[in-house]
Amino acid sequence: MNPGMITNLDQIFVILQHRVAGLFPPLFQPLVAMILGVLGIIAVFPGIFALTTVLERKGLGRMQNRLGPNRVGPFGFLQPIADAIKSLTKEDIVPRTADEIVHFLAPVVLVVAIFLGYAVLPVGRNMVLLNIDAGILFFFAIGATAELSIFMAGWSSRNKYSLLGAMRAVAQMISYEVPLLLSAVVAIMMTGSLAPTVIVQAQSGFTGILPHWYVFTPWGFAGFALFVVAALAETNRSPFDLPEGESELVAGYFTEYSGFKFALFFLGEYLGMMSIAGYGITLFLGGWGAPFSFLEFIPSWAWFFGKLFLAICFFIWLRGTLPRLRQDQLMNFAWKFMLPLSLLNLGVAASWRFLGEWLGTGLTGEIVRWLACAAVLLLAYVLLARVLLRRQKISPRSYRYAD
Amino acid sequence: MSPAMIEGFLFGLIAVMTLAGALAAALLRNLVHCALSLTVTFAGLAVLYLSLGAQFVGLSQILVYIGAVAILVVFAILLTHGAGALPHLFVASSGWRTGWVAAVVVAFVFIGALLRSPLPQSSGPVPQIAVRSIGQALMGAYVLPLEIVAILLTVALIGAVIVAMPTEQGESK
Amino acid sequence: MTLTPYLIVAALLFALGLGIALTRRNAILVLIGIELMLNAANLNLIAFWRFGAHPEFMTGMLFALFSIAVAAAEASVGLGLVIAWYRHSKTTDLDQMTRMKG
């Protein structure tokens, strides 16, 4: 393929957007381009959500030695359509004692907030809806709104399981937001910008055939690992799915939701998972960059969505593998383990920068810097884990309430 | 419609939303409703900051006020059983008449004062402040306030935990 | 847009915050009122920064940023105190908080 064609394929959606916007009078062109971008997001990500539900059910089925959905369409891949029809035609029940307005607003606020989070996510070269300077901050600020909507859902249902689920969810999300932010700050600090596009650009170089992704540095790897764990907790995914632990709380904060509103919660949860995965990819995995220099001819958006697909598979795999945590373990893990490590990681990232200036850019300098930073992080990880494990008095289980 | 008119209309909409949220917080009986309407006010203020070109402050406002303060408030309400208990027959304090009179007087004094004072009526373009320059200012000219705020926040964090920590053994969770 | 509308919104918001702080019975809502007054001040700071002589120095904006941080600290300590008081006396009613001895 010639270079021009590669560029065209890479920019096909951008070109399409310009062509369609060009059909309108110049005054409306920015508006039309914006609406097209919004429509793209609203069409693509729920589409991926629909595929994810099938994939998750089939994947979990395989892990649990059963088939999963296989009735609707070829290999059951039209299952989401059946699900959508079902949830749209179901009766929408609002409990008599519920706070109707808040009960109605909760899923709406959740879905709107989560969709807004996609506005600054670069899904390909030049493919970002709003290229604002403080993009990452925007995402975290909008993500904070989701917590409030979960509280609204749980509180307005007037159901103890809903309320308990909501309190669990909010406590968990607030606790894990701290390490999530701090682990993301590493990438922001090393790039020197809060704009997602700039962060991706900073990782787009190659050494030999290997890319300059942040995950290949010690601080980047530690930051990425912390980010993934915090993201799992933030999106209430297994093993951090206590807020909706069905064995304890029926369905957590959306116990009292049915029909379309329940579907909205479901949608919001998966969209939240995909957006946080998208930001993880942007911050640490090079965004839309190719993993090897000789694969750069593949369009940037294909790389982004490929990575997103892998991230979703990873999430499904974890859900099928790990058991659920206990509430106190969850909180202790956030405050005693994740927080100190992410703070240390910030320090390591800063010293990485200054070691680089001090040791020069030679190969030995690079290796020394890499090993020193990795050693500090590994040592801290091992020591902290040992201390915390020793503190935990492991003894035969006592049943405080069941006696 | 001219762009200025659209801008004015949007400003009016956001301003009314902001003030309506605050008014609802002042009048509603249910405490959680008050807290939720308050978040509308916070969000409206954030949009106003964004419209004034203070992007970083506006987003910080959402992160801090909606993400933290509002959640803190609803948690405090639930922990003090303010939401489940039957609302008092009378939610206002004993001196509520004096309070409202004072508030109205303050509003009139403020608005009267600012309508009489010479204010800059026209402005330049919206200033484009890069986040990088905010960071440089915080690390340069404003490093002392930044450090003091850091200490203040640490002290507040520890202080809040100690104050709210259950003292007796029997109360520990 | 000019400066005056923003200042009027801030003034009304301040008055509403004052009204909440002075008239509500619940200690948490009084704290909310104080937060609203701080927010009104922030709006003033940012509006004056935007329409002032030298927006490039960012003085008003950074002042608002610090003010947000201080307000967050204030809210956390204030709510901690309310919870501690509630644990002690089983009420958040300000009219009943008349004793200074614990």
Side-chain angles (χ1 to χ4, degrees), chain B:
Chain B
M1 276 215 292
S2 63
M5 264 174 75
I6 297 172
E7 203 188 343
F9 174 73
L10 286 179
F11 171 81
L13 205 68
I14 300 294
V16 166
M17 193 183 89
T18 310
L19 294 172
L23 192 67
L27 299 176
L28 286 174
R29 296 175 96 75
N30 192 317
L31 287 179
V32 175
H33 284 167
C34 292
L36 292 178
S37 61
L38 192 76
T39 58
V40 175
T41 302
F42 289 151
L45 277 168
V47 176
L48 286 182
Y49 295 170
L50 292 178
S51 77
L52 282 167
Q55 195 184 71
F56 191 79
V57 182
L59 294 177
S60 307
Q61 163 92 4
I62 297 178
L63 191 65
V64 172
Y65 275 101
I66 298 179
V69 172
I71 299 276
L72 211 58
V73 166
V74 293
F75 256 76
I77 291 170
L78 292 187
L79 285 177
T80 56
H81 295 270
L86 206 73
H88 290 280
L89 286 175
F90 204 55
V91 288
S93 68
S94 49
W96 65 278
R97 287 189 193 84
T98 337
W100 278 123
V101 170
V104 170
V105 167
V106 164
F108 272 107
V109 168
F110 278 2
I111 292 175
L114 69 90
L115 286 182
R116 273 150 206 252
S117 43
L119 293 167
Q121 285 305 314
S122 61
S123 69
V126 178
Q128 293 294 327
I129 301 293
V131 180
R132 176 179 280 270
S133 58
I134 295 176
Q136 271 156 355
L138 282 176
M139 278 291 138
Y142 293 90
V143 72
L144 197 63
L146 183 76
E147 294 299 322
I148 292 171
V149 161
I151 293 171
L152 173 80
L153 286 175
T154 315
V155 171
L157 179 72
I158 297 170
V161 168
I162 288 174
V163 164
M165 201 156 51
T167 44
E168 286 120 280
Q169 285 291 321
E171 277 185 3
S172 65
K173 201 172 87 179

Side-chain angles (χ1 to χ4, degrees), chain A residues 101-103 105-106 109 147-157 166 257, chain B residues 36:
Chain A
I101 300 170
V102 182
H103 190 83
L105 279 179
V109 172
E147 290 164 23
L148 205 71
S149 73
I150 284 173
F151 169 79
M152 283 161 72
W155 176 78
S156 66
S157 299
Y257 282 90
Chain B
L36 292 178

Side-chain angles (χ1 to χ4, degrees), chain C residues 3-26:
Chain C
L3 180 57
T4 321
Y6 286 100
L7 294 187
I8 290 175
V9 170
L12 288 173
L13 199 63
F14 188 91
L16 276 170
L18 188 68
I20 294 175
L22 289 180
T23 61
R24 292 302 291 248
R25 215 178 243 270
N26 192 296

Side-chain angles (χ1 to χ4, degrees), chain C residues 17-71:
Chain C
L18 188 68
I20 294 175
L22 289 180
T23 61
R24 292 302 291 248
R25 215 178 243 270
N26 192 296
I28 297 171
L29 272 172
V30 173
L31 273 173
I32 284 179
I34 295 168
E35 289 291 329
L36 277 182
M37 289 193 270
L38 276 167
N39 267 296
N42 280 352
L43 181 57
N44 260 9
L45 285 171
I46 292 189
F48 275 116
W49 161 74
R50 164 77 173 81
F51 294 98
H54 293 285
E56 68 275 12
F57 290 145
M58 299 183 286
T59 319
M61 196 172 74
L62 287 172
F63 215 103
L65 212 55
F66 287 125
S67 162
I68 288 176
V70 172

Side-chain angles (χ1 to χ4, degrees), chain A residues 10-311:
Chain A
D10 188 37
Q11 297 295 301
I12 182 164
F13 295 111
V14 181
I15 295 165
L16 215 65
Q17 187 187 27
H18 280 287
R19 285 274 165 78
V20 176
L23 300 175
F24 289 85
L27 184 64
F28 294 106
Q29 274 182 14
L31 189 71
V32 170
M34 191 59 102
I35 289 171
L36 284 176
V38 171
L39 283 181
I41 287 173
I42 289 181
V44 168
F45 284 99
I48 300 176
F49 155 71
L51 277 180
T52 308
T53 54
V54 187
L55 202 71
E56 173 149 41
R57 291 169 68 177
K58 286 187 95 69
L60 284 181
R62 286 287 158 193
M63 280 182 229
Q64 294 158 358
N65 231 341
R66 55 191 174 82
L67 285 172
N70 62 355
R71 296 288 114 174
V72 192
F75 301 104
F77 267 97
L78 294 180
Q79 184 70 33
I81 296 170
D83 284 346
I85 293 169
K86 186 185 89 171
S87 64
L88 278 173
T89 52
K90 257 185 169 176
E91 185 187 357
D92 177 28
I93 301 166
V94 180
R96 195 178 296 155
T97 50
D99 197 309
E100 272 173 49
I101 300 170
V102 182
H103 190 83
F104 170 75
L105 279 179
V108 178
V109 172
L110 180 76
V111 171
V112 169
I114 299 253
F115 265 120
L116 278 178
Y118 285 100
V120 289
L121 181 66
V123 296
R125 195 175 276 123
N126 303 328
M127 281 164 74
V128 57
L129 190 63
L130 278 178
N131 195 359
I132 61 173
D133 204 19
I136 299 289
L137 187 67
F138 177 86
F139 168 66
F140 285 122
I142 291 299
T145 319
E147 290 164 23
L148 205 71
S149 73
I150 284 173
F151 169 79
M152 283 161 72
W155 176 78
S156 66
S157 299
R158 296 279 196 282
N159 174 328
K160 66 181 171 201
Y161 298 119
S162 297
L163 189 60
L164 280 173
M167 294 302 262
R168 277 185 179 186
V170 173
Q172 170 179 332
M173 287 167 88
I174 284 205
S175 302
Y176 279 89
E177 196 163 290
V178 180
L180 187 78
L181 268 166
L182 284 176
S183 57
V185 162
V186 179
I188 293 162
M189 196 165 85
M190 298 310 270
T191 316
S193 171
L194 273 165
T197 43
V198 181
I199 292 174
V200 173
Q201 206 71 53
Q203 301 176 69
S204 61
F206 289 94
T207 307
I209 59 162
L210 288 174
H212 290 171
W213 295 357
Y214 287 148
V215 73
F216 294 129
T217 57
W219 49 269
F221 183 78
F224 178 65
L226 290 165
F227 188 92
V228 169
V229 175
L232 279 170
E234 209 43 31
T235 50
N236 302 332
R237 288 287 298 186
S238 179
F240 302 103
D241 58 345
L242 293 98
E244 51 208 70
E246 62 273 15
S247 51
E248 304 151 24
L249 294 177
V250 192
Y253 49 86
F254 46 75
T255 299
E256 295 290 0
Y257 282 90
S258 59
F260 189 58
K261 287 182 199 153
F262 181 82
L264 279 185
F265 270 110
F266 207 58
L267 176 75
E269 193 169 303
Y270 277 82
L271 284 180
M273 180 182 96
M274 286 190 286
S275 83
I276 215 161
Y279 283 96
I281 290 164
T282 302
L283 285 168
F284 297 104
L285 297 181
W288 36 258
F292 300 107
S293 56
F294 54 84
L295 289 176
E296 271 202 299
F297 64 91
I298 297 175
S300 55
W301 42 269
W303 281 121
F304 180 85
F305 285 107
K307 288 173 189 175
L308 190 65
F309 176 74
L310 283 184

